[in-house]
Amino acid sequence: MSAGVEVLLGLVMLVGLVGVVVPILPGTLLIAGALLVWAIVDASAAGWGVFVAGAALMVGAGIIKYTWPGRRMRDAGVPNRSVMFGGLVGIVGFFVVPVVGLLLGFLLGTYAAEAARHRTHRDAWASTVHATKAVGLSILVELFGALLAVGLWLGAVLFV
């Protein structure tokens, strides 16, 4: 395989890693697609092994991403609709205030949804903090799985 193809696939994976952190891009899908293309072009047992292992890591991280933080939010009493409303306001905020608008919009939307549900500022803010921690944990879990998959690919490119 040519170095140019590997560099291009590495750039696609880098964009995928950014997509994990900034949820506008389909990060894990980009990484999985690049791993699949690499396995097809490489046409070796090692290439297919890296693809299968990388995909398994990202699927495992995806399962953990949705179960672990969700359970923590349920235990804290934060409903999913508050997080969904915060996500929608965050997407609008991303376009209104570039770079930081996603986080600010998420916080504002989640707080607004929780303030409508709770009577006190303290309770609404506590729920917003729980929701923000859960979403941050979810992003970190997905990023960890994606980094492991990309690291596995990089190790195969450099040492196999």
Side-chain angles (χ1 to χ4, degrees), residues 78 106-107 110 114 123-135:
V78 180
F106 177 78
L107 289 172
T110 305
E114 287 300 293
D123 292 340
W125 183 248
S127 293
T128 302
V129 169
H130 281 293
T132 304
K133 286 179 182 179
V135 169

Side-chain angles (χ1 to χ4, degrees), residues 6-160:
E6 289 179 338
V7 168
L8 181 64
L9 290 172
L11 289 173
V12 169
M13 288 185 211
L14 183 62
V15 169
L17 289 173
V18 171
V20 169
V21 178
V22 181
I24 299 297
L25 301 169
T28 52
L29 289 177
L30 285 172
I31 294 168
L35 286 173
L36 178 61
V37 168
W38 183 73
I40 291 169
V41 173
D42 190 50
S44 70
W48 286 106
V50 167
F51 169 71
V52 168
L57 285 167
M58 289 187 293
V59 166
I63 291 169
I64 294 169
K65 167 189 171 175
Y66 287 110
T67 56
W68 186 20
R71 184 170 12 108
R72 290 182 56 152
M73 279 196 338
R74 270 193 314 277
D75 292 346
V78 180
N80 286 336
R81 65 184 151 88
S82 294
V83 176
M84 290 170 59
F85 185 72
L88 291 173
V89 175
I91 290 170
V92 171
F94 179 77
F95 293 106
V96 174
V97 182
V99 183
V100 296
L102 182 66
L103 178 62
L104 292 175
F106 177 78
L107 289 172
L108 179 65
T110 305
Y111 180 78
E114 287 300 293
R117 201 169 70 87
H118 291 289
R119 295 280 184 222
T120 66
H121 161 74
R122 185 172 18 136
D123 292 340
W125 183 248
S127 293
T128 302
V129 169
H130 281 293
T132 304
K133 286 179 182 179
V135 169
L137 179 62
S138 174
I139 290 171
L140 285 176
V141 166
E142 184 180 9
L143 182 62
F144 184 68
L147 283 169
L148 287 175
V150 172
L152 187 65
W153 169 79
L154 187 60
V157 167
L158 294 176
F159 301 114
V160 175

